[in-house]
Amino acid sequence: MQGIPIQPEQASTIAQSVDHLYFFITAVTLFFSVLIFSTIFYFMIKYRRRSPDERPKAIEGSLPLEILWTAVPTLIVALFFVWGSTLYFQNSEAPPGAMEIFVTGKQWMWKVEHPEGQREINELHVPLGHPVKLTMTSEDVIHDFFVPAFRVKKDVLPGRYTTMWFEPTKLGTFHLFCAQYCGAFHAGMIGSVIVVEPDEYESWLQGGVQGETMEAAGARLFKENGCVTCHLADGSGPAPSLAGVYGNTVHLTNGQTVTADDAYIRESILSPAAKIVRGYQPVMPSFQGQLSEEQILDLVAYIRSIGLSQGNAKEKQQEEGKK
Amino acid sequence: MPEPHAEHAEHIGLAHQFEDLSQQHDADTFGIWLFLVTEIMFFGGLFLGYAVLRWLYFAAFDGGSHVLDIRLGAINTVVLLGSSLTMALSVRSAQTGNRRALVLFLTLTMILGGVFLGIKAYEYHQKFAEHIVPTLDWAPEGEVLARLAPGGLNHAELYFFLYFAMTGLHALHMIIGMGLLFWLIRRARRGSFTPSYFAPVEVVGLYWHFVDIVWIFLFPLLYLIGGRY
Amino acid sequence: MSTATLEPRVQSPRNYLNADYGWKSWLFTVDHKRIALLYMASITFFFVIGGFFAFLMRLHLIEPQGALVQPETYNKLFTLHGVIMIFFFLIPSIPAVLGNFLVPLMIGARDLAFPKLNLLSWYIYIVGGLFTLYSAIAGGVDTGWTFYTPYSSTYSNTQVTAVAVGVFITGFSSILTGLNFIVTIHKMRAPGLTWFRLPLFLWAIYATSIIMTLGTPVLAITIFLLALEHLFHVGIFSPQLGGDPLLFQHLFWFYSHPAVYIMILPAMGVVSEIIACFARKRIFGYKIVGFSSVAIAVLGFLVWGHHMFVTGQSVYAGLIFSFLSFLVAIPSAIKVFNWTSTLYKGSISYEAPMLYALGFIGLFTMGGLTGMFLASLATDVHLNGTYFIVAHFHYIMVGGAVMGYLGGLHFWWPKISGRKYPNGWAMLSAAIIFIGFNLTFFPQFILGYLGMPRRYAFYPAEFQVLNVMSSAGASILGIGYLIPLVYFIWSMRYGPVAEANPWGATGLEWQTPSPPPTENFAEIPVVTEEAYAYSAEEEASRA
């Protein structure tokens, strides 16, 4: 297209509202800039020195004016603050039922894992009109997952998970950039977010190289790494059963309680001594260096899955027991 | 620090930018207080790091703290407090024009400082002997290993990194303080200080007290984590 | 101010420049005016190096695939450009050059409170600079001036330790200079010079000094820990070792945000002096402007988290930092309104210093207003890490701080050197700088909103047009900076001799000869009038 664009495409549910705020701030700041600059120009011309003996009268100040030009900017920035914060708050939590996709960043590529097992490098296929929540971590340094067309970005950190969400509203291919300097080929850590019709997305998921789902991979790793030896399903081993754990409250030996979320599970695998479940000994070895971030995400997916199905089974048992 | 001018006896120690000795004294003491505030900000970053890491890895900090020699730490605390006393007494001696007492107390302060540094050096030596020096010699064994393992050896290494960083920075400040004391003793013996001009003694005194106070914080934070029952 | 005839070489009266000769009299001086000139030469040297790196960067970016260097080299260029410009040019600039020269003169003192400490500060700055130069020559640094971990502590294999040592050492120059200024302003004001009679430049320097003294130590300890971590691979910032990379960011930005106020507040002080003189009127709302400087310094310590909105920190932290970031903008806005009001019913003349001051107001206002987009959480999510940020901070630091520094140099040059520079050339370069600057950086706002991230050694082709525009502007800007370098040096030998008060300004520094004698004043002045006593009545009571 001819000419220079001034905004990227609006391809997500929030893009338009972000643009509205952006253009509103632009309009207000433009208005006040023009106001200030034209006042200055006007004074510059009207009060230019006409003779070297001019001695203007001293004007100390004006309290009403000071109050005015303190109050008005304060009200304006308050408006920017409220609007920006509200929008930010609304966009901070993924809506329930958002499709989860997992991203691992590493120098200098993006590795994407769909729960169904489909993997991509530097590309992210998503269906149109459906909210997507990304859970992300880095294998090395800090990166940032940035999709200008969606108006979203989030830092991707080593050693922890960060999340972000979006809902695409347009079909097409959109830029994906790394937006946190990460070394030599930071500029090359780019890719595409490819938005397709939902049924096309389904068939894309089925097609291609058939891999295991993340849950199945996690189940396999759970056996291969010996987790199943101690974390017996009935809880009779030296480690707590993990059935039904995900998302619930866990009581620790130091008296604190935590929620068993993704970060907790990851920490328990890599630094088991940090949080010990009440009633258990600190005997679990660390798997630091033995599992990649992607494998850990697979294990998290597995533990989440046994949380849902077996949790229901447990609830049923308890209800049976009460009868 | 202003040098004495070879001028009228009343103006001993008055620097050229000041109108009179009282303005100079005011400026000097204000200056050192301001400098000490910057030192608080400087050490503050380390204390913040300590706070964050201790909150994250309490077990490792607990274990690491129990490996330190609490008796030596306690002795050092008493030694430094004593040196602050002798330092304060030397300022008083300067104020009252008692040159012999001034030299005596400054020397005592320096001796006590030396004792502190000697004990500290011995403690550092012990860490090497026990192989609990991060990166340079990290291979804990035996009882020490048993103490540190529960909290995670990696995190214990972090604790000792902080131990060396914080006590090392403190020791560096002590060494600088020793140098300042040495300089003061030389000037005191030459009779440079009078009841109307003794700002350098006061300034070094304030610095010394500050370094002492930092240790008062370091001792419980590093040596006294968890109980000793 | 014609320069057509060469002035005959008259025997100049004894002043600080000719009081003593030889390199020892300069390198071992304790005269604050000579130390100011030592700084002036050093920061100009670093400005040329940092500017050269910027020139290479903009040249490289005219082509999407990069026209000049390998990506690794580009990364080193932007890192060292940032480190040198921030730590070795901008932060010292006005305080160490104009502040050192003027603070004692403006308060009617013979020198700063601690002249030897002042000289030590310069040497510390030079040693830090040498370490940084070494890091550049011995392979460069590629971490970005922000040194984010774990890249800088564990992954980069460039000269991180050397540059960290350099920055660490130079920080003490800043701390000691600030300490010197605070004590001087508190304890050495001439009789009759109360706080509310001080020129606003001193209020600005005072506020700046608070930040320099309290904030820089935090940078020092942070950089010290980073160096230890890079060297010994044990640390508190690397997740691989159990550390926290965000802890580094909090500690780093706790200093580096107030640092930007170190860079802008003195420039605002310069602007106050220039506007008052060239409108021949007291600054409107003097007390409010003075307090605004202090308010900016205090509030500036509370907003560092706005650099971390997308790091995954809690939304509540984001809210608080966003709110405070908006608040800190208000005192700056108040200043702009007060400067504008000073022009009302003034008597305005347009020599070069005034052009720089007006240019400052325009560019700083734009830069500050673009900060609104970044303080607002929802827009910052989109704009963080893009060229919008680059444009924003260059508008303030170059459009603001550098213009302020140049304006101050042009205003006080006659006092410092005893010579005048050609006003026509000065006005021309002010215009060239203004135009070149806007051409360079305005397109970057658009690039940022379009989504081009910063620190990219190569980029998608669709961003090329705006990049070329920016690079074209940069070459114009470069020329604009070279011209003053030439005529200032020229003026030292061939410029017309300046009288004590060529601008007819108020202020104690103008009551002593140009250049001043080493002891500043034959007799310590006694102050009986308010600041900016430009009115006819006040002038009459002076006569």
Side-chain angles (χ1 to χ4, degrees):
Chain A
M1 91 181 188
Q2 280 302 91
I4 299 167
I6 56 167
Q7 66 183 98
E9 273 187 85
Q10 290 174 345
S12 78
T13 49
I14 67 163
Q16 193 177 55
S17 45
V18 172
D19 284 354
H20 280 165
L21 176 57
Y22 179 79
F23 288 119
F24 177 74
I25 299 179
T26 306
V28 172
T29 53
L30 200 60
F31 172 75
F32 280 99
S33 308
V34 168
L35 187 65
I36 296 172
F37 296 161
S38 48
T39 308
I40 292 180
F41 270 122
Y42 175 65
F43 289 167
M44 273 166 68
I45 298 171
K46 176 154 188 210
Y47 300 111
R48 67 189 182 284
R49 190 171 301 173
R50 290 174 177 80
S51 96
D53 310 316
E54 278 176 6
R55 293 289 179 272
K57 284 194 61 166
I59 303 178
E60 294 305 312
S62 155
L63 190 58
L65 266 182
E66 299 283 355
I67 294 177
L68 175 71
W69 63 47
T70 306
V72 170
T74 306
L75 288 171
I76 294 174
V77 303
L79 176 57
F80 293 160
F81 169 69
V82 169
W83 188 339
S85 309
T86 312
L87 207 50
Y88 178 77
F89 234 86
Q90 285 169 359
N91 299 341
S92 59
E93 280 293 310
M99 166 188 308
E100 295 216 31
I101 301 180
F102 301 89
V103 175
T104 308
K106 88 183 229 23
Q107 285 172 325
W108 290 278
M109 65 170 80
W110 294 106
K111 296 195 278 189
V112 176
E113 262 188 293
H114 296 253
E116 298 80 355
Q118 194 64 271
R119 284 157 199 270
E120 320 185 62
I121 301 254
N122 292 333
E123 280 185 356
L124 169 62
H125 279 80
V126 287
L128 177 72
H130 200 100
V132 172
K133 175 181 168 187
L134 299 180
T135 301
M136 311 183 285
T137 188
S138 164
E139 283 182 23
D140 39 40
V141 298
I142 303 181
H143 301 279
D144 187 288
F145 196 92
F146 176 38
V147 187
F150 296 168
R151 312 290 186 276
V152 292
K153 66 161 63 74
K154 202 49 155 299
D155 276 2
V156 177
L157 270 57
R160 71 184 72 182
Y161 294 134
T162 53
T163 64
M164 69 182 227
W165 77 273
F166 53 81
E167 181 176 326
T169 53
K170 257 200 197 150
L171 297 170
T173 305
F174 306 102
H175 280 304
L176 159 63
F177 293 131
C178 174
Q180 187 64 262
Y181 177 69
C182 54
F185 291 100
H186 168 60
M189 193 164 162
I190 67 178
S192 312
V193 178
I194 302 166
V195 182
V196 296
E197 293 285 2
D199 43 6
E200 199 183 323
Y201 177 73
E202 284 305 315
S203 50
W204 173 82
L205 276 182
Q206 306 309 325
V209 179
Q210 196 58 268
E212 358 167 57
T213 64
M214 285 176 73
E215 286 171 21
R220 172 179 53 81
L221 289 164
F222 197 76
K223 284 204 197 66
E224 282 173 5
N225 286 279
C227 320
V228 69
T229 355
C230 297
H231 288 284
L232 298 173
D234 58 5
S236 61
S241 162
L242 298 181
V245 153
Y246 189 85
N248 286 319
T249 319
V250 176
H251 297 273
L252 305 176
T253 46
N254 61 8
Q256 288 177 342
T257 56
V258 290
T259 309
D261 57 9
D262 295 356
Y264 169 74
I265 295 179
R266 184 178 177 284
E267 187 185 29
S268 302
I269 296 173
L270 297 177
S271 308
K275 295 183 173 67
I276 309 291
V277 177
R278 191 150 24 143
Y280 289 91
Q281 295 300 313
V283 295
M284 175 173 167
S286 161
F287 288 83
Q288 180 101 33
Q290 297 175 46
L291 294 169
S292 73
E293 292 292 346
E294 290 160 283
Q295 290 174 320
I296 294 175
L297 284 169
D298 291 336
L299 282 164
V300 169
Y302 168 66
I303 293 171
R304 191 185 309 182
S305 69
I306 60 174
L308 297 169
S309 56
Q310 295 198 10
N312 290 340
K314 238 188 163 182
E315 267 178 43
K316 280 199 186 125
Q317 262 182 345
Q318 286 168 341
E319 282 176 35
E320 297 289 319
K322 281 187 200 147
K323 282 189 188 149
Chain B
M1 308 296 164
E3 287 298 293
H5 284 255
E7 282 182 324
H8 203 276
E10 293 165 23
H11 297 296
I12 282 182
L14 180 65
H16 71 280
Q17 68 271 20
F18 293 114
E19 292 298 296
D20 53 45
L21 278 176
S22 97
Q23 186 190 39
Q24 178 175 292
H25 183 258
D26 261 358
D28 286 348
T29 38
F30 186 37
I32 186 68
W33 276 108
L34 204 48
F35 178 70
L36 293 180
V37 172
T38 72
E39 289 273 51
I40 293 175
M41 300 303 288
F42 189 56
F43 275 94
L46 279 178
F47 281 97
L48 180 70
Y50 170 95
V52 170
L53 288 176
R54 174 175 166 160
W55 178 71
L56 283 174
Y57 307 125
F58 181 78
F61 272 54
D62 191 17
S65 176
H66 278 82
V67 166
L68 297 180
D69 190 333
I70 195 179
R71 290 163 311 165
L72 291 181
I75 292 172
N76 258 352
T77 307
V78 172
V79 164
L80 262 194
L81 282 173
S83 75
S84 265
L85 173 63
T86 53
M87 188 71 226
L89 287 171
S90 57
V91 175
R92 173 120 180 88
S93 309
Q95 242 171 354
T96 52
N98 188 339
R99 189 170 68 98
R100 280 188 53 208
L102 172 60
V103 173
L104 170 68
F105 284 124
L106 284 176
T107 311
L108 275 179
T109 310
M110 205 167 156
I111 290 174
L112 287 171
V115 169
F116 177 93
L117 286 172
I119 295 179
K120 203 87 214 100
Y122 174 71
E123 281 187 271
Y124 278 16
H125 164 79
Q126 252 190 332
K127 302 289 169 294
F128 275 97
E130 291 171 332
H131 305 293
I132 45 177
V133 181
T135 303
L136 299 176
D137 187 1
W138 182 258
E141 50 195 20
E143 251 203 64
V144 172
L145 176 61
R147 274 276 184 204
L148 298 182
L153 281 184
N154 263 353
H155 300 150
E157 199 174 0
L158 277 179
Y159 169 81
F160 280 100
F161 172 76
L162 269 182
Y163 167 81
F164 277 102
M166 292 170 97
T167 59
L169 193 60
H170 176 262
L172 178 64
H173 281 77
M174 287 280 305
I175 293 172
I176 293 172
M178 302 281 279
L180 290 171
L181 283 169
F182 179 70
W183 172 72
L184 275 187
I185 293 172
R186 280 191 56 191
R187 290 191 68 189
R189 290 178 65 188
R190 284 204 310 250
S192 305
F193 302 122
T194 68
S196 50
Y197 172 69
F198 61 96
V201 184
E202 204 171 344
V203 163
V204 173
L206 281 170
Y207 174 80
W208 192 264
H209 293 316
F210 172 77
V211 177
D212 186 12
I213 291 178
V214 171
W215 178 259
I216 304 295
F217 279 88
L218 287 184
F219 176 60
L221 286 180
L222 290 172
Y223 288 78
L224 302 180
I225 302 178
R228 291 291 189 281
Y229 312 116
Chain C
M1 272 201 238
S2 134
T3 58
T5 52
L6 279 176
E7 297 282 323
R9 295 273 290 280
V10 292
Q11 182 70 9
S12 335
R14 213 189 102 267
N15 59 58
Y16 81 99
L17 285 172
N18 60 25
D20 203 352
Y21 289 100
W23 61 270
K24 278 198 213 163
S25 76
W26 282 92
L27 289 183
F28 298 135
T29 182
V30 290
D31 179 0
H32 64 101
K33 301 181 287 300
R34 287 193 166 204
I35 294 175
L37 290 189
L38 289 175
Y39 272 108
M40 189 190 296
S42 334
I43 69 168
T44 308
F45 170 74
F46 281 108
F47 180 73
V48 168
I49 298 182
F52 178 62
F53 290 162
F55 166 70
L56 291 177
M57 284 160 63
R58 282 304 340 154
L59 198 55
H60 173 86
L61 289 174
I62 59 179
E63 265 171 42
Q65 289 314 305
L68 206 63
V69 293
Q70 293 302 309
E72 291 91 332
T73 308
Y74 180 82
N75 297 341
K76 294 176 183 175
L77 285 176
F78 73 68
T79 301
L80 286 163
H81 168 74
V83 169
I84 289 176
M85 286 306 208
I86 291 175
F87 294 113
F88 296 96
F89 173 66
L90 278 168
I91 290 196
S93 63
I94 298 177
V97 177
L98 296 175
N100 263 327
F101 194 91
L102 294 168
V103 169
L105 285 169
M106 281 183 169
I107 63 171
R110 299 209 177 283
D111 208 309
L112 291 177
F114 308 119
K116 288 187 196 154
L117 205 64
N118 199 13
L119 182 66
L120 179 66
S121 299
W122 182 72
Y123 276 108
I124 291 175
Y125 165 85
I126 291 294
V127 171
L130 286 174
F131 272 95
T132 306
L133 282 176
Y134 168 77
S135 77
I137 296 169
V141 186
D142 71 347
T143 58
W145 82 276
T146 47
F147 299 115
Y148 275 12
T149 60
Y151 182 71
S152 62
S153 56
T154 320
Y155 286 83
S156 172
N157 54 11
T158 58
Q159 297 287 348
V160 176
T161 309
V163 77
V165 171
V167 171
F168 175 81
I169 291 176
T170 292
F172 289 101
S173 170
S174 210
I175 294 171
L176 295 175
T177 300
L179 189 152
N180 226 335
F181 286 159
I182 293 177
V183 178
T184 305
I185 295 176
H186 269 275
K187 298 292 180 184
M188 294 173 68
R189 280 168 285 125
L193 187 52
T194 59
W195 279 93
F196 292 116
R197 285 178 173 175
L198 284 175
L200 287 167
F201 178 72
L202 289 179
W203 276 93
I205 288 285
Y206 183 76
T208 306
S209 300
I210 292 177
I211 307 176
M212 278 161 53
T213 356
L214 295 182
T216 317
V218 180
L219 176 77
I221 196 70
T222 309
I223 290 283
F224 172 68
L225 287 172
L226 175 69
L228 284 183
E229 188 160 319
H230 187 82
L231 270 179
F232 297 119
H233 290 285
V234 175
I236 64 180
F237 301 135
S238 290
Q240 293 84 350
L241 307 164
D244 183 359
L246 291 190
L247 176 63
F248 175 83
Q249 291 187 28
H250 280 290
L251 283 171
F252 177 81
W253 287 115
F254 185 80
Y255 162 76
S256 298
H257 188 83
V260 315
Y261 298 111
I262 296 178
M263 297 187 262
I264 199 63
L265 276 172
M268 291 173 157
V270 170
V271 168
S272 289
E273 298 303 314
I274 294 177
I275 301 248
C277 174
F278 288 84
R280 210 169 258 164
K281 218 162 140 279
R282 171 168 298 125
I283 293 289
F284 191 93
Y286 165 93
K287 271 195 191 169
I288 305 268
V289 175
F291 285 139
S292 295
S293 294
V294 179
I296 292 172
V298 172
L299 285 171
F301 272 105
L302 305 177
V303 300
W304 76 90
H306 67 226
H307 298 270
M308 299 169 64
F309 283 153
V310 295
T311 57
Q313 72 182 5
S314 96
V315 295
Y316 300 104
L319 276 180
I320 295 172
F321 282 120
S322 169
F323 177 72
L324 288 166
S325 302
F326 277 118
L327 272 192
V328 77
I330 306 287
S332 298
I334 291 174
K335 285 196 185 199
V336 172
F337 297 132
N338 277 294
W339 288 323
T340 306
S341 305
T342 309
L343 298 175
Y344 175 71
K345 291 201 173 161
S347 167
I348 307 174
S349 79
Y350 296 106
E351 284 95 338
M354 187 57 162
L355 291 188
Y356 280 104
L358 292 170
F360 173 97
I361 295 179
L363 298 176
F364 168 75
T365 302
M366 286 176 68
L369 289 174
T370 56
M372 304 286 97
F373 296 86
L374 303 172
S376 177
L377 287 160
T379 40
D380 184 75
V381 169
H382 178 65
L383 295 169
N384 192 56
T386 68
Y387 260 85
F388 193 95
I389 307 269
V390 177
H392 163 74
F393 65 68
H394 281 95
Y395 260 82
I396 309 208
M397 298 210 285
V398 182
V402 178
M403 294 280 269
Y405 175 63
L406 288 176
L409 275 187
H410 283 80
F411 185 48
W412 281 291
W413 188 259
K415 178 60 54 184
I416 293 173
S417 67
R419 300 286 179 145
K420 298 185 200 174
Y421 50 82
N423 189 56
W425 281 102
M427 290 174 69
L428 176 66
S429 32
I432 295 176
I433 290 174
F434 187 83
I435 294 170
F437 174 84
N438 279 302
L439 245 178
T440 310
F441 292 105
F442 195 82
Q444 295 184 4
F445 284 123
I446 304 176
L447 271 175
Y449 200 63
L450 286 174
M452 179 172 170
R454 55 186 292 201
R455 298 174 163 173
Y456 264 30
F458 45 89
Y459 55 85
E462 72 219 54
F463 296 132
Q464 184 176 22
V465 173
L466 289 166
N467 269 290
V468 170
M469 263 171 76
S470 175
S471 297
S475 46
I476 300 174
L477 184 60
I479 294 173
Y481 286 137
L482 283 174
I483 302 178
L485 197 58
V486 171
Y487 61 65
F488 275 141
I489 296 177
W490 175 91
S491 78
M492 291 200 283
R493 190 153 164 103
Y494 300 110
V497 171
E499 57 274 40
N501 195 353
W503 309 115
T506 63
L508 290 177
E509 74 272 26
W510 301 106
Q511 311 307 320
T512 193
S514 304
T518 303
E519 66 274 14
N520 293 343
F521 301 97
E523 281 206 21
I524 298 294
V526 176
V527 174
T528 52
E529 57 186 19
E530 303 303 308
Y532 311 115
Y534 283 106
S535 72
E537 301 82 29
E538 287 162 314
E539 188 176 327
S541 63
R542 262 203 299 280

